[in-house]
Amino acid sequence: MSFPVWSNIPPMQIRVCRELWCLSKSNRCVTNSIPAAEGTLCQTGNIEKGWCYQGDCVPFGTWPQSIDGGWGSWSLWGECSRTCGGGVSSSLRHCDSPAPSGGGKYCLGERKRYRSCNTDPCPLGSRDFREKQCADFDNMPFRGKHYNWKPYTGGGVKPCALNCLAEGYNFYTERAPAVIDGTQCNADSLDICINGECKHVGCDNILGSDAREDRCRVCGGDGSTCDAIEGFFNDSLPRGGYMEVVQIPRGSVHIEVREVSMSKNYIALKSEGDDYYINGAWTIDWPRKFDVSGTAFHYKRPTDEPESLEALGPTSENLIVMVLLQEQNLGIRYKFNVPIARPGSGDNEVGFLWHHQPWSECSATCAGGVQRQEVICKRLDDNSIVQNNFCDPDSKPPENQRACNTEPCPPEWFIGDWLECSKTCDGGMRTRAVLCVRRIGPSEEETLDYSDCLTHRPMEKESCNNQSCPPQWVALDWSECTPKCGPGFKHRIVLCKSSDLSKTFPAAQCPEESKPPARIRCSLGRCPPPRWVTGDWGQCSAQCGLGQQMRTVQCLSYTGQASVDCPETVRPPSMQQCESKCDSTPISSTEECKDVNKVAYCPLVLKFKFCSRAYFRQMCCKTCQGH
């Protein structure tokens, strides 16, 4: 297999650094419109000896100075993702002040930041935010049909993906890979989804806040506004039926009701007015979430664990836990926290006021953290912390916050992710970024010399994929096309070789489905038509004078095979007349050349040109003399 031989055209003729041209073997100038490789020697009108760098010819040995990137200013905060209930807005900055160049480093730190917005609760009766996102697909056909979609947050699904259940059908599907920013990760958590990932939200509805609820579900409380109720119910009815387990007062939180062991009995829930919410009227509900009394009750009935009922609360009415007994009651444990009733004064007779909590701990030990003074609601009579809904929301003061621990952090190693291995087998190398950095602000870092980090520098490269590569097919060059014209074939040898090409294996050790072809069709153009081919002329039939001679005439194809396709009109002759030179026998001067008297046909011998024959020439010597 042959290839053209290329040579560089002199750089004075063409700008090599911008577009590399080559001279082919046939003296044609060709290019693939890409610049020459970095470091290719070049010259210009004012640079006698240079090399190519980023498309320009620069003096040989020079290297443009690298410039590390710097962050530009943050953009204005964007629109809030929700109008109520706790959304997020974002702000962007770009690594363009300056942009990295000449091999400089890209900026370190956050490119996008988020903050909470519109954290006020949505109006009473508002549609659940995740539920609305599922409902938006009601008018869109799914597999040719329309469904009413409800949120599905069961096991095995990502909390920040929009999984929706087809109402009335036993299937769910992912309608969107990510919910809208600000959607709660799950019903019993304040954490929200941002960019498809669950991010922590404090009980003050602030993104990244450390504010936590106490056991009474009071944000920043000390757990003094509620009492813990625990109990064990093991009564039973002789004939079965519904039986009361415990009453749960209004405002209860962290409710848990659980069987001690698996049974055929069922936990039920109803109101004081005997309206059953779960497992009523001898009808057993499917395990799922029930929105009851202002909170979500999770009813679980696994196949291999006891039945349970759980809710975070607070409840908005008094509830009664029942049990539908169908066999001996082996026991039900329950616990919940109820608000403390203040003796001698009802909630309507006492005042409530907003108070700032003491400063929280700093959110960071260095590089600038934040301290907050949360706002809580307290009773005026005993200064105890109560739930925020007891205080007037319109008079709630803003939360105070201040910067703290603003000194830079100690230098530390920044270790990037490993890049892809250079080879998939037979030992490659992979690299990662290792930098010595120091945080100087909440979202700002600076890069230092390696010597500023006191600990041992982590590895920047390591070997990878050291396992041997499997045998592979190796194809040799194609042969020439055979025959030389018309349809034919090219052949080549295909071998099963080791990855380093040092060993040859049996063909069975390489995958048959990926074997390259060993023969392909080819054509070198149309074959020439058959033609007449003549042989050499044979010996003249006469030894003296006129005679005949013969030759072979054949119709042959370009391969030399006999054919019948030659045109007869151009067929060469296979016989022609010939003349042999006669030996001149000297006649004795004493012997007279004369015709034999009895031969009367000598004129005819001359007429028919038989004088070339020895017999007639002798018999008609005089007549044939000179002929």
Side-chain angles (χ1 to χ4, degrees), residues 538-544 546-550 578 580:
Q539 189 175 358
C540 192
S541 60
Q543 294 181 353
C544 177
L546 296 176
Q548 293 177 334
Q549 58 183 166
M550 308 289 290
C578 59
S580 298

Side-chain angles (χ1 to χ4, degrees), residues 95-148:
C95 187
D96 56 3
S97 296
S101 62
K105 300 172 184 175
Y106 193 80
C107 305
L108 298 175
E110 294 179 334
R111 188 181 67 88
K112 192 173 186 180
R113 61 181 178 177
Y114 298 88
R115 72 175 181 182
S116 297
C117 53
N118 294 341
T119 57
D120 295 331
C122 292
L124 194 63
S126 298
R127 196 172 196 180
D128 177 76
F129 194 43
R130 189 183 288 262
E131 184 178 338
K132 179 183 181 303
Q133 293 175 59
C134 281
D136 288 341
F137 290 92
D138 288 353
N139 296 325
M140 300 181 188
F142 178 74
R143 296 176 182 171
K145 293 182 63 177
H146 286 83
Y147 300 91
N148 292 326

Side-chain angles (χ1 to χ4, degrees), residues 460-486:
E460 289 183 283
K461 60 175 61 178
E462 68 176 9
S463 61
C464 52
N465 293 340
N466 295 313
Q467 72 279 7
S468 298
C469 291
Q472 59 186 7
W473 293 108
V474 175
L476 304 185
D477 292 340
W478 288 106
S479 67
E480 293 185 355
C481 190
T482 305
K484 296 294 185 182
C485 64

Side-chain angles (χ1 to χ4, degrees), residues 244-248 268-272 318-322:
E244 182 177 321
V245 176
V246 66
Q247 293 192 17
I248 301 178
L269 186 69
K270 71 170 187 173
S271 69
E272 283 186 308
N318 295 328
L319 298 173
I320 302 175
V321 177
M322 306 290 289

Side-chain angles (χ1 to χ4, degrees), residues 125-343:
S126 298
R127 196 172 196 180
D128 177 76
F129 194 43
R130 189 183 288 262
E131 184 178 338
K132 179 183 181 303
Q133 293 175 59
C134 281
D136 288 341
F137 290 92
D138 288 353
N139 296 325
M140 300 181 188
F142 178 74
R143 296 176 182 171
K145 293 182 63 177
H146 286 83
Y147 300 91
N148 292 326
W149 299 99
K150 299 293 181 184
Y152 177 80
T153 55
V157 298
K158 299 176 181 177
C160 288
L162 184 62
N163 290 280
C164 302
L165 179 73
E167 194 172 21
Y169 296 86
N170 189 26
F171 74 89
Y172 70 90
T173 185
E174 184 181 286
R175 298 315 314 260
V179 293
I180 298 174
D181 287 352
T183 306
Q184 285 184 316
C185 302
N186 55 71
D188 294 332
S189 171
L190 294 173
D191 295 346
I192 60 174
C193 296
I194 298 178
N195 274 344
E197 294 185 2
C198 200
K199 301 295 184 181
H200 175 68
V201 173
C203 62
D204 53 1
N205 275 333
I206 302 299
L207 184 65
S209 168
D210 292 330
R212 291 182 174 85
E213 292 181 341
D214 66 1
R215 65 190 184 97
C216 307
R217 295 216 65 194
V218 175
C219 187
D222 59 0
S224 62
T225 61
C226 64
D227 285 332
I229 304 297
E230 294 189 39
F232 179 71
F233 176 81
N234 60 358
D235 295 349
S236 189
L237 290 173
R239 294 187 178 181
Y242 285 96
M243 191 171 184
E244 182 177 321
V245 176
V246 66
Q247 293 192 17
I248 301 178
R250 180 175 67 91
S252 296
V253 296
H254 293 294
I255 302 165
E256 291 184 26
V257 181
R258 187 182 303 274
E259 284 188 307
V260 296
S261 61
M262 295 178 62
S263 73
K264 296 180 181 179
N265 302 326
Y266 297 96
I267 297 172
L269 186 69
K270 71 170 187 173
S271 69
E272 283 186 308
D274 288 336
D275 294 323
Y276 273 88
Y277 298 122
I278 302 174
N279 291 344
W282 295 85
T283 302
I284 307 305
D285 292 305
W286 286 104
R288 64 182 188 275
K289 183 188 77 170
F290 291 84
D291 293 322
V292 175
S293 185
T295 188
F297 277 86
H298 296 274
Y299 174 50
K300 301 177 183 178
R301 193 170 66 240
T303 57
D304 55 352
E305 292 182 14
E307 188 181 34
S308 65
L309 185 65
E310 298 178 358
L312 276 179
T315 57
S316 59
E317 62 176 316
N318 295 328
L319 298 173
I320 302 175
V321 177
M322 306 290 289
V323 60
L324 174 57
L325 294 170
Q326 298 192 114
E327 64 179 20
Q328 179 67 31
N329 178 22
L330 300 177
I332 297 175
R333 294 191 183 278
Y334 57 85
K335 60 180 179 180
F336 49 88
N337 299 334
V338 298
I340 296 176
R342 301 293 173 182

Side-chain angles (χ1 to χ4, degrees), residues 304-486:
D304 55 352
E305 292 182 14
E307 188 181 34
S308 65
L309 185 65
E310 298 178 358
L312 276 179
T315 57
S316 59
E317 62 176 316
N318 295 328
L319 298 173
I320 302 175
V321 177
M322 306 290 289
V323 60
L324 174 57
L325 294 170
Q326 298 192 114
E327 64 179 20
Q328 179 67 31
N329 178 22
L330 300 177
I332 297 175
R333 294 191 183 278
Y334 57 85
K335 60 180 179 180
F336 49 88
N337 299 334
V338 298
I340 296 176
R342 301 293 173 182
S345 63
D347 289 342
N348 294 329
E349 302 171 5
V350 70
F352 300 90
L353 195 63
W354 295 107
H355 282 268
H356 280 98
Q357 286 278 72
W359 287 106
S360 66
E361 292 185 6
C362 192
S363 61
T365 59
C366 56
V370 175
Q371 282 181 298
R372 291 187 173 90
Q373 272 190 314
E374 299 173 4
V375 178
I376 60 172
C377 182
K378 287 188 176 183
R379 294 175 65 105
L380 291 179
D381 57 350
D382 60 3
N383 210 31
S384 62
I385 300 175
V386 296
Q387 295 182 21
N388 286 348
N389 54 6
F390 285 99
C391 287
D392 179 11
D394 295 332
S395 65
K396 184 178 181 179
E399 177 189 85
N400 295 329
Q401 76 177 47
R402 66 185 181 186
C404 54
N405 294 341
T406 57
E407 70 281 357
C409 293
E412 62 181 351
W413 292 110
F414 167 80
I415 304 174
D417 295 332
W418 286 109
L419 299 180
E420 190 174 349
C421 191
S422 61
K423 297 173 67 177
T424 58
C425 52
D426 273 355
M429 293 295 295
R430 63 177 185 174
T431 61
R432 62 182 179 183
V434 176
L435 303 173
C436 181
V437 299
R438 177 174 61 184
R439 287 185 59 200
I440 58 177
S443 57
E444 187 177 1
E445 293 178 340
E446 64 177 354
T447 305
L448 307 175
D449 291 331
Y450 292 143
S451 58
D452 291 327
C453 283
L454 301 180
T455 57
H456 180 69
R457 182 182 175 188
M459 288 191 305
E460 289 183 283
K461 60 175 61 178
E462 68 176 9
S463 61
C464 52
N465 293 340
N466 295 313
Q467 72 279 7
S468 298
C469 291
Q472 59 186 7
W473 293 108
V474 175
L476 304 185
D477 292 340
W478 288 106
S479 67
E480 293 185 355
C481 190
T482 305
K484 296 294 185 182
C485 64

Side-chain angles (χ1 to χ4, degrees), residues 560-617:
Q561 296 177 328
S563 174
V564 295
D565 294 332
C566 297
E568 286 292 332
T569 56
V570 295
R571 176 176 180 138
S574 59
M575 180 181 68
Q576 71 177 5
Q577 194 174 41
C578 59
E579 182 177 5
S580 298
K581 188 176 180 181
C582 297
D583 294 334
S584 54
T585 306
I587 300 175
S588 173
S589 56
T590 59
E591 183 179 353
E592 183 181 358
C593 177
K594 60 181 180 180
D595 294 337
V596 179
N597 291 334
K598 60 180 180 182
V599 180
Y601 51 81
C602 284
L604 295 177
V605 169
L606 179 63
K607 180 180 179 179
F608 289 104
K609 300 179 180 181
F610 284 172
C611 289
S612 59
R613 300 184 183 183
Y615 171 77
F616 292 109
R617 190 174 185 80

